[in-house]
Amino acid sequence: MLRKSLTFILLTILFSAQKPREIGIKDLFKDSFHIGVAVNAQQVSGKEPKALAVLAEHFNSLSPENGLKWEKVHPKPEEYDFEFGDAYVALGEKMKAFTIGHCLVWHQQTPNWVFEDESGKMLNKEDLISKMEDHIAVVAGRYKGKIDGWDVVNEAFNEDGSFRESKWYNVAGKDFIKAAFRKAHEVDPNAELYYNDYNVWKASKRKGILELAKEMKSEGIRVDAIGMQGHYMLGSPTLEEIEQGIIEIAEAGFKVVITELDVDVLPRPNNAQGADLNINFANSPEYNPFVNGISAEAEAKLAQRYADLFQLFHKHKDKISRVTLWGLHDGRSWLNNFPVRGRTNYPLLFDRDLKLKEGIFEKLREVAED
Ligand code: XIL
């Protein structure tokens, strides 16, 4: 009798210990692509309750939402701040995650002094490029071997495929882009290097991007993938437009990375598409309809949109190496403030309590098993 109950207890312990671990999003797509997420300082430092556990359970790639942008990591000419970056790469190592650097060169979140000499005069091309190269050497150099892929240049094109007239471009022309990729490769030869932008689904914009990427490749400059940011809305762009983008990037000889996926469920003024940070509108009830919770209708549309997007990505898993969500949960999404300030948005896979949206997860499971 005693022996029987002991066996029973032992078996129960053994069985519960072997209970299969819960399947995370990353496990659903483990044979297809990495599943990434952009993290902020609170999450990286473990100050946000539950965040580290959710990260470990569901994601196998990390991106830094703001902490490695120029204004954060290099706020003054002689001053670098690596507090975030060091904690970030340590977390990436602990999670054995594919760890992304974002971003080395951009026209946003870059201090004005970068473009000026000590007296406030605009730098000439040579001096600006050399300042940029120093920055890349220090930042990418510090994380050599710890960051697996860098967004080297971010958002250098206009919607019509011409070069954005940023200070970088106005002073240095397109050579600043080439120099940035060259330097990044020299500093960390094993890191993957990406050109990253929004609205790459637009044929006109993509044409400009791919022309330059091919030109760089023909000059022996390393470019591994084109980042399609993936800041989408419920009804736009169409799946066909996104698919065309994926196919053309692959045909041009580059991998695709979906770098900043989120789905805006709120109405946008003038249907403003994409992620141009210069666009910003004042809040109004018309643009902020779900202050007390998302409607069942919008929630169902969101789940379907995610299912459709992941089905498309899964179909092209031979071309796509990573899909990264731009934020861990709705409460911390930048879409609460863009393109309209102070809204209540629901664009991600986890809600404000860090609970996985089960409706979306079930649909993703179906997509992955298809
Ligand atoms: C956003 C961040 O999410 C915000 O917190 C910040 O205030 C502005 O930048 N394209 C990019 C990202 O490449 O770096 C931007 O991130 C969103 C648009």
Side-chain angles (χ1 to χ4, degrees):
M1 182 65 190
L2 183 65
R3 183 182 280 180
K4 254 193 184 161
S5 42
L6 264 181
T7 320
F8 176 74
I9 291 168
L10 259 176
L11 275 176
T12 319
I13 293 172
L14 254 179
F15 182 72
S16 51
Q18 283 175 357
K19 216 169 71 182
R21 197 174 53 83
E22 236 192 280
I23 298 272
I25 305 164
K26 66 176 169 32
D27 305 307
L28 295 180
F29 297 101
K30 66 175 188 313
D31 298 326
S32 308
F33 31 67
H34 282 116
I35 297 290
V37 62
V39 289
N40 61 36
Q42 274 201 309
Q43 291 158 352
V44 162
S45 62
K47 286 195 190 114
E48 185 173 286
K50 295 194 263 184
L52 289 177
V54 174
L55 288 175
E57 186 174 348
H58 290 283
F59 298 95
N60 51 19
S61 174
L62 294 178
S63 291
E65 184 174 3
N66 287 299
L68 287 182
K69 290 173 181 172
W70 195 311
E71 68 176 13
K72 297 278 184 193
V73 75
H74 190 179
K76 297 202 180 119
E78 304 304 331
E79 191 183 310
Y80 283 86
D81 180 350
F82 293 117
E83 195 185 330
F84 173 88
D86 290 358
Y88 170 76
V89 295
L91 177 63
E93 277 184 344
K94 196 166 151 219
M95 286 173 59
K96 297 193 171 49
F98 195 85
T99 303
I100 302 301
H102 172 85
C103 46
L104 291 170
V105 184
W106 192 20
H107 65 286
Q108 297 282 4
Q109 294 181 273
T110 304
N112 284 332
W113 61 258
V114 172
F115 306 95
E116 298 164 359
D117 66 15
E118 278 114 57
S119 65
K121 228 178 91 227
M122 269 318 231
L123 293 178
N124 63 30
K125 175 174 174 176
E126 200 189 337
D127 291 344
L128 181 61
I129 288 191
S130 116
K131 211 183 222 180
M132 180 191 80
E133 289 174 337
D134 286 349
H135 173 84
I136 294 174
V138 173
V139 179
R142 186 176 181 95
Y143 299 121
K144 181 178 175 180
K146 296 186 171 163
I147 284 200
D148 299 298
W150 273 104
D151 288 338
V152 179
V153 175
N154 203 27
E155 303 179 352
F157 283 87
N158 293 317
E159 303 301 276
D160 66 359
S162 58
F163 287 101
R164 179 190 291 277
E165 292 185 330
S166 65
K167 288 181 182 169
W168 291 113
Y169 183 77
N170 288 344
V171 173
K174 67 179 173 183
D175 286 350
F176 87 88
I177 305 176
K178 297 182 177 182
F181 276 84
R182 275 206 190 92
K183 191 69 190 177
H185 181 57
E186 180 195 313
V187 171
D188 191 352
N190 292 323
E192 290 190 350
L193 303 182
Y194 319 121
Y195 173 80
N196 190 49
D197 216 325
Y198 59 86
N199 290 351
V200 182
W201 56 268
K202 271 191 193 167
S204 53
K205 187 168 194 170
R206 187 169 61 243
K207 191 163 176 285
I209 294 170
L210 289 180
E211 257 168 38
L212 178 75
K214 284 194 275 190
E215 186 178 310
M216 289 203 283
K217 207 173 191 182
S218 74
E219 291 168 11
I221 300 173
R222 176 171 184 168
V223 183
D224 293 275
I226 304 298
M228 301 178 82
Q229 288 187 2
H231 295 295
Y232 299 138
M233 291 180 280
L234 281 177
S236 156
T238 65
L239 293 172
E240 290 72 24
E241 285 168 322
I242 301 170
E243 179 165 37
Q244 196 56 34
I246 295 169
I247 290 171
E248 277 184 27
I249 292 170
E251 279 173 358
F254 304 96
K255 276 272 179 197
V256 176
V257 278
I258 309 293
T259 52
E260 304 183 15
L261 182 61
D262 48 25
V263 177
D264 191 350
V265 302
L266 302 179
R268 283 197 178 186
N270 308 326
N271 220 17
Q273 282 162 330
D276 186 345
L277 290 178
N278 291 324
I279 302 177
N280 213 266
F281 300 88
N283 200 334
S284 79
E286 180 196 352
Y287 292 125
N288 196 17
F290 302 140
V291 185
N292 299 314
I294 185 171
S295 69
E297 192 193 342
E299 193 164 45
K301 280 191 188 157
L302 178 70
Q304 193 54 50
R305 181 68 161 155
Y306 266 112
D308 291 345
L309 288 167
F310 270 86
Q311 191 163 40
L312 180 67
F313 301 152
H314 197 237
K315 176 177 169 191
H316 293 289
K317 62 183 180 206
D318 59 326
K319 308 175 185 67
I320 299 176
S321 58
R322 169 170 57 95
V323 178
T324 289
L325 277 298
W326 201 245
L328 183 55
H329 66 94
D330 290 344
R332 295 302 302 252
S333 166
W334 77 301
L335 291 178
N336 293 307
N337 290 301
F338 175 89
V340 178
R341 290 179 293 276
R343 297 198 294 180
T344 308
N345 216 331
Y346 302 82
L348 295 168
L349 300 183
F350 292 82
D351 70 14
R352 287 174 164 70
D353 298 320
L354 265 105
K355 269 187 47 217
L356 179 60
K357 298 180 185 176
E358 291 297 338
I360 300 183
F361 185 76
E362 278 318 307
K363 281 185 183 290
L364 296 190
R365 191 199 288 274
E366 283 166 30
V367 165
E369 282 167 3
D370 209 15

